[in-house]
Amino acid sequence: MPPPADIVKVAIEWPGAFPKLMEIDQVVPLMQCFFSSFHPMAFRWSLGNHENFALQIADATNFYITEKNRNDIKNGSILRLTSSPYQTAAQLHERIQSSSMDAKLESLKDLANASRDITFAQEFINLDGISLLTQMVESGTERYQKLQKIMKPCFGDLLSFTLTAFVELMDHGIVSWDTFSVAFIKKIASYVNKSAMDTAVLQRSLAILESMVLNSQDLYHKVAQEITIGQLIPHLQGTDQDIQTYTIAVINALFLKAPEEKRQEMAHILAQKQLRSIILSNVIRSPTPINDEMAHQLYVLQVLTFNLLEDRMMTKMDPQDQAQRDIIFELRRIAFDVECEPNNSGSIEKRKSMYTRDYKKLGFINHVNPAVDFTQIPPGMLALDNMLYFARHHQDAYIRIVLENSSREDKHECPFGRSSIELTKMLCEILKVGELPSENCHDFHPMFFTHDRSFEEFFCICIQLLNKTWKEMRATSEDFNKVMQVVREQIMRALTLKPNSLDQFKSRLQNLSYTEILKIRQSERMNQEDFQSRPILELREKIQPEIMELIKQQRLNRLCDGTCFRKISSRRRQDKFWYCRLSPNHKVLHYGDLEESPQGEVPHDSLQDKLPVADIKAVITGKDCPHMKEKGALKQNKEVLELAFSVLYESDEYLNFIAPDKHEYCVWTDGLNALLGKEMTSDYTKSDMDTLLSMEMKLRLLDLENIQIPEAPPPIPKEPSNYDFVYDCN
C-alpha cells in the first residue's frame, strides 16, 4: 500500500551524528514534527530549545525549510539540522565586524552565500545588516586601502563579497532603494570610474547602479551626477562580455529613466562618444558569441534609440511655420533645380501655378499646400525629415525617382510624397517606435548598429524598394494599398534573415522581388478558388477529425518529452529553472526544480513531485493566473502575461507556469486541455491544422490534377428495364 500523500520520507543530518531516516507529516507544524521533547530526534540528539535550531536543504543552496516552502520537500531529500536563521544571522553580523582580516573575509563569504535565502535575509536585515554593509563600503574598507598594494587579492575579495552580499539581500525586495546615502552612491560610482578594478567588484558595482536607477527616480538623479557615459565607455572596450553586458544595462537604465528633455541630450553625448561604433566592433563583431542577456540589452538599446524618433513622429507640421515650409521648398529645388527662375520673377499667379505643378510631380496629396500632408500623426514631421535626408544624402536616387514618375501617366505615377509618408508610418510600426522594450525579447538587428543615422538609411533603402515594386506590379493609384502590403512583406521577410549590414539588407531585398513574393505566397497557401467546391469541402470536413487527433497525439507526446520552465525573479541574471513532463501513460505530471537549464533529457526519478491528471480541475491562462496577480511588476508586462498559465487542482491549489516562448505555451495549454477532454484552441493548433489539412488534401487530390471537379455529384442513372444480366449464384 503506498504511503499517504502528506507523508514525505527524508534523511536528517546533524554534525557529529549519523544521519537519521524520518517521515515528515506535511499537515503537522514543523516545530511539532522535529522539536517536540518527545520526538525521537530531539531525544536522541539531546536538542535544547527548539528556537535555536532549523532545517536546511543539504545542497549548494542551503535554503531554510519554513512553513511557507515546506511543500517543496521531495521524497528522498537530505535535510540538515542547523542553527536557526536568527542565530546564524547574529553570528555573521558579529563576525563581519572582526578586526581579523581572515575572519572578516571568511564571514563575508558565508554571508554572501547565505543571503540568497529570504528567510536568512529577513533576519539579517532585521539586525540592521544592510546599514552595516553600507557603512563598511562607505568607510570601513578604507582602513585596508593602505594594504591594497601588498594584499590586493585579499582586498578585492573582501569588497567583492561585501557587495555580493548587499546585492543578494536587496534582491529580495525587503528594503527600499530610496534609503541609501549620497556617500554610498559616490563610493559605488568610484569603483566603476576606476580604470583598474577587480572584475567581480566592477560587476557588482554596475549591477547596484543599474538597480538604483531602475528602482528610484531620486537615485537616478544622484547616480547620473556621479557617472558619465565617458567613464562607462572603457568597460565596453574589453573582452569580458559580462562586464560589457552590465555596462550596457547601466546605460540603458540611465536612458530609460532620463526625463524627456534629457534624452535627446544624452543621445547626442552617446553619438559624440561613438558608443554605436564601439559596441559594433567590440561586442557585435567580437569572436565571442552573444549570449541571451547581451542580446536583450542590445535589443533594449535599439528600442530606446528608435524611441527618440517618437517626438518628431507625433509632431504635426505647422503650415504657417516658414522654416518648415522651407524644407518643402528645398525638396522642390533639389528635384527640379530651378535656379534660372528667381522667386520674384513673373506674377504671383504664375509662380503659384508652377509650384502646384511641381508639388504634384513630387507626389503630394495637397498640391496647393503640401504642408497639410504632414499634419497626420503618426508619422508627422518624421516623414518630412526622412524625405529631406533622402534628397540630400542620396540625391541621384531622389532625382531619378521624382523625374521617372513625372514622365509616367498620372494613373501609373508612384507618388513620392504620399509614399514617403505612408512608408515612414509603416517603418515606425515595424520597429515599434514609442513602445517600451519587452522584458524577455532578444530581437536586436546588427545592421542598425552600423550607421549613426540607421533609421534614415533604412528609409532610403525602403523608399527605393517601394518605387521598384510599384513598377514591377505596374500599379495605378488604386493599387496603392496593395503595393504597401507587398512592401511590408518584403521588408519583414528581409529583416527575419537578420542581415549584418544595411548593404546586406539591400541585397536581400533584391532577391525578394514582387515575382518572388508571389511565388512564396503561392507555396504557402492553396489556391482557394480550386478548393471551394462542395465535394472538396465535404472531404475536408471528413478528414478534419483525423488531423485533429494527430495534432492531439503530437501535443501529448511533447508533454511526455517535458519542458524546462524559468522561474521569474527580480533579476534576470539569476534565473532558476524547474522541469515538468507527462508520464508515458498520460496519468501523472512529474515536476521538480533544477539548478540550471538541462542540456538533454531529464530522468523521471529526478522529478520527485507528482500531480495526477485526474486531480486537475482546470487550466487557467493570462492575467487570471494567481502568479500574475501576485507579481505587480509582471502584471503590466504583456509578453509575460501571454506566456503564463496555471493548473488548478484539489482545493484551490495551483501549479504555475511561465512558458519559455509562445510555441511551448501553445503546446502545453493544448496538451493539458486535451487531457481534460477540452478543445485545443491555440493559434498553433489552427496553424498546424491548416498545414496538415492542406498537405493531406493535396495528396488525396494528386491524381485529379488538371481535372475539373464538378460542383455537384453526377446524376444516378435510371434503373434498367430488367435485371436479366444479374448472375444468380444459387
Side-chain angles (χ1 to χ4, degrees), residues 531 536 539 697-705 709:
F531 289 89
I536 299 299
L539 179 62
M697 291 290 291
K698 287 178 180 178
L699 287 172
R700 296 200 182 197
L701 299 175
L702 198 60
D703 294 336
L704 298 178
E705 189 173 359
I709 299 174

Side-chain angles (χ1 to χ4, degrees), residues 154-396:
C154 183
F155 175 78
D157 289 343
L158 183 76
L159 188 53
S160 172
F161 290 132
T162 304
L163 295 178
T164 302
F166 175 83
V167 170
E168 295 289 353
L169 291 168
M170 291 301 298
D171 185 40
H172 298 297
I174 300 171
V175 178
S176 170
W177 283 94
D178 288 313
T179 58
F180 298 106
S181 65
V182 174
F184 178 72
I185 299 171
K186 287 180 179 291
K187 182 61 77 172
I188 297 297
S190 70
Y191 300 143
V192 174
N193 294 337
K194 286 181 181 177
S195 56
M197 178 52 68
D198 181 81
T199 301
V201 172
L202 180 56
Q203 277 188 6
R204 274 61 168 186
S205 299
L206 288 167
I208 291 170
L209 291 178
E210 180 196 5
S211 296
M212 284 180 171
V213 172
L214 291 177
N215 287 284
S216 171
Q217 192 65 34
D218 184 49
L219 287 184
Y220 156 75
H221 295 290
K222 295 176 182 177
V223 172
Q225 291 175 357
E226 301 297 329
I227 294 291
T228 64
I229 300 300
Q231 291 163 335
L232 292 171
I233 293 293
H235 300 313
L236 293 172
Q237 296 172 321
T239 57
D240 190 321
Q241 190 170 117
D242 287 337
I243 295 294
Q244 292 173 329
T245 303
Y246 279 88
T247 302
I248 297 177
V250 173
I251 293 173
N252 286 338
L254 291 170
F255 216 144
L256 188 63
K257 290 296 181 178
E260 293 289 340
E261 64 276 7
K262 292 267 187 178
R263 289 181 187 174
Q264 293 290 348
E265 179 184 338
M266 186 174 176
H268 182 66
I269 295 172
L270 293 176
Q272 285 184 328
K273 299 295 182 181
Q274 297 184 327
L275 175 70
R276 178 199 57 77
S277 59
I278 291 171
I279 290 176
L280 180 66
S281 57
N282 292 279
V283 178
I284 296 176
R285 292 180 177 171
S286 167
T288 306
I290 294 176
N291 58 35
D292 286 346
E293 181 59 28
M294 174 60 84
H296 172 73
Q297 295 301 339
L298 291 174
Y299 153 78
V300 172
L301 182 60
Q302 172 186 293
V303 171
L304 295 176
T305 303
F306 283 140
N307 280 356
L308 294 172
L309 303 169
E310 184 181 12
D311 182 52
R312 294 293 285 175
M313 180 182 77
M314 301 306 292
T315 300
K316 294 182 179 181
M317 184 173 185
D318 182 3
Q320 306 304 319
D321 189 323
Q322 187 60 42
Q324 295 179 359
R325 294 173 64 188
D326 286 344
I327 298 176
I328 299 177
F329 292 148
E330 179 73 0
L331 291 173
R332 175 183 169 276
R333 185 196 65 78
I334 295 173
F336 304 111
D337 196 23
V338 191
E339 294 180 356
C340 58
E341 230 177 300
N343 288 337
N344 56 0
S345 65
S347 65
I348 296 176
E349 289 76 12
K350 183 180 179 181
R351 277 186 283 130
K352 283 184 177 180
S353 175
M354 181 179 63
Y355 289 166
T356 300
R357 181 197 64 199
D358 290 345
Y359 291 149
K360 183 178 180 181
K361 290 180 180 179
L362 281 171
F364 291 112
I365 298 174
N366 192 315
H367 306 152
V368 178
N369 186 7
V372 177
D373 290 10
F374 300 97
T375 56
Q376 173 194 352
I377 55 171
M381 288 296 292
L382 184 60
L384 188 58
D385 295 342
N386 284 338
M387 294 169 68
L388 184 62
Y389 181 90
F390 180 50
R392 286 178 172 174
H393 294 83
H394 300 271
Q395 189 167 323
D396 291 343

Side-chain angles (χ1 to χ4, degrees), residues 682-694:
S682 75
D683 294 338
Y684 277 85
T685 294
K686 184 178 183 301
S687 175
D688 289 349
M689 173 61 75
D690 291 342
T691 302
L692 294 173
L693 199 55
S694 171

Side-chain angles (χ1 to χ4, degrees), residues 657-682:
F657 299 77
I658 294 180
D661 51 49
K662 189 68 176 176
H663 180 264
E664 289 296 324
Y665 170 83
C666 292
V667 165
W668 274 84
T669 52
D670 282 344
L672 292 170
N673 281 321
L675 287 173
L676 299 179
K678 297 182 179 179
E679 186 179 355
M680 299 184 294
T681 57
S682 75

